[in-house]
Amino acid sequence: MRQLTTEDLKTLEVDLKNYFPQSLQVYGCIVQLNRTGQRADPVSVFVDLWPDFRVLLIKPEIRETGDFFKDLTVFSKNDVYLRDLLAQTDVIDWKMYICLAAELHHEKMLEFVAINRGVSMKKEAVCLKLVLRDPSKCSQIDSLSLKLSSLNESHLALVNSSWKFGCEHSKVMIKNMIVNFPSCCVLDADDRPVAWILTYPSCALGMLFTVPEHRGKGYAKALVTIMSKRLHSQGYPVYCFIEEKNQLSYRLFTSLGFTEEPDYKAAWFVFNDF
């Protein structure tokens, strides 16, 4: 496999647009890398061939335990190419805990790889991909009536405690998101966040949350709208992942103009115990 250089990543960003929507998640990672550099989220980007790659793998740098919460992300033009790469390459340390982000249709092939590697595997989550192509369709929000800010490190414990997968080890990932990527929150009279939304290293919007006593005020709708327009104006892709059974979030995002990619489902597969 070849590890791509900074110049290669600029070429890759353009090329990946030819494979939307399947490549959108890795495209978002490359966009972030090209905008923020390795200081934000150190990763290595590998391809099987260059420039006519068939498989792309984005591997996070593991420095401490919490870094295991950062996804290993793959994109493949063909299931067979990805199977062969995972079966043969030593780029991945199969003795370690791995959370792999990939298309759902790779599941059977990944089970085959896990068996041959002698490691356990489970499907952690399956999500629909919703994309906003035209932010002008978002409703106009009276943001002047809201006290808005970005999240900062002092809000880390609050965000972590509200996230479905939040635990002691996830704090490293969330801190990285707060410090390096766009976020927005609504503050109360005492400058405490009562609703917020973050951006993942893949550019996907996520961790949208409103504290229970402040729900029903339109904060979530306002935050999605504000962040979507901000990201779009800065040249970022605007999309999110919604778990299949989360109808509340699905209705919220689709009401704001996000559309589902019907032939695409994202999944997160976990190998080995944490």
Side-chain angles (χ1 to χ4, degrees):
M1 294 196 73
R2 167 173 169 161
Q3 183 172 351
L4 299 187
T5 65
T6 301
E7 287 303 312
D8 292 335
L9 295 181
K10 295 175 183 177
T11 302
L12 181 62
E13 179 178 332
V14 176
D15 192 28
L16 285 171
K17 291 182 179 180
N18 297 318
Y19 303 99
F20 282 178
Q22 286 78 12
S23 67
L24 188 54
Q25 189 171 5
V26 291
Y27 170 78
C29 293
I30 301 304
V31 168
Q32 291 279 33
L33 280 173
N34 285 336
R35 303 298 186 277
T36 62
Q38 290 284 357
R39 63 170 178 80
D41 196 30
V43 300
S44 298
V45 181
F46 296 93
V47 291
D48 59 338
L49 301 169
W50 185 254
D52 299 318
F53 72 93
R54 300 170 301 182
V55 180
L56 168 66
L57 186 151
I58 301 176
K59 179 183 177 183
E61 186 174 306
I62 306 299
R63 296 176 174 175
E64 52 187 310
T65 303
D67 286 333
F68 288 113
F69 265 80
K70 298 176 182 178
D71 300 334
L72 178 69
T73 308
V74 297
F75 165 69
S76 178
K77 299 175 183 178
N78 184 289
D79 205 61
V80 174
Y81 296 143
L82 181 57
R83 182 199 64 196
D84 291 346
L85 182 145
L86 294 178
Q88 298 169 12
T89 185
D90 292 324
V91 169
I92 301 172
D93 185 351
W94 291 95
K95 297 183 179 67
M96 301 172 68
Y97 172 88
I98 300 167
C99 184
L100 176 68
E103 285 190 69
L104 179 61
H105 75 75
H106 291 314
E107 182 176 9
K108 292 298 181 184
M109 179 272 293
L110 291 173
E111 289 176 350
F112 170 83
V113 172
I115 291 171
N116 280 273
R117 287 283 185 176
V119 299
S120 63
M121 171 186 144
K122 69 174 180 178
K123 186 166 55 182
E124 190 68 43
V126 176
C127 293
L128 307 175
K129 179 186 286 182
L130 274 63
V131 181
L132 182 64
R133 291 180 172 80
D134 183 6
S136 66
K137 294 181 180 180
C138 286
S139 304
Q140 292 298 317
I141 299 296
D142 181 17
S143 58
L144 295 177
S145 64
L146 300 175
K147 194 173 184 180
L148 298 171
S149 182
S150 297
L151 293 166
N152 60 56
E153 285 189 60
S154 70
H155 306 136
L156 172 58
L158 179 65
V159 175
N160 187 58
S161 65
S162 70
W163 189 42
K164 177 180 179 180
F165 300 103
C167 66
E168 185 62 30
H169 298 304
S170 62
K171 289 180 180 179
V172 172
M173 183 192 76
I174 295 175
K175 177 183 177 181
N176 176 62
M177 292 168 64
I178 289 175
V179 171
N180 293 301
F181 304 130
S183 66
C184 190
C185 63
V186 178
L187 303 175
D188 65 11
D190 297 315
D191 288 336
R192 294 174 300 194
V194 294
W196 52 85
I197 190 169
L198 287 81
T199 311
Y200 286 101
S202 63
C203 287
L205 294 170
M207 296 191 188
L208 177 64
F209 187 82
T210 303
V211 298
E213 56 267 35
H214 287 272
R215 291 174 183 170
K217 300 178 181 179
Y219 290 165
K221 185 176 182 179
L223 289 172
V224 173
T225 298
I226 292 165
M227 281 290 288
S228 295
K229 292 183 176 181
R230 181 188 303 175
L231 292 173
H232 184 266
S233 70
Q234 296 174 358
Y236 289 94
V238 182
Y239 73 107
C240 66
F241 294 109
I242 303 294
E243 289 191 90
E244 288 183 301
K245 297 179 181 179
N246 191 343
Q247 287 299 309
L248 186 63
S249 290
Y250 184 89
R251 288 194 296 269
L252 168 66
F253 280 88
T254 53
S255 72
L256 294 172
F258 284 73
T259 56
E260 179 186 345
E261 295 294 339
D263 298 324
Y264 180 96
K265 286 186 180 179
W268 282 259
F269 302 97
V270 170
F271 300 87
N272 300 315
D273 294 327
F274 186 71

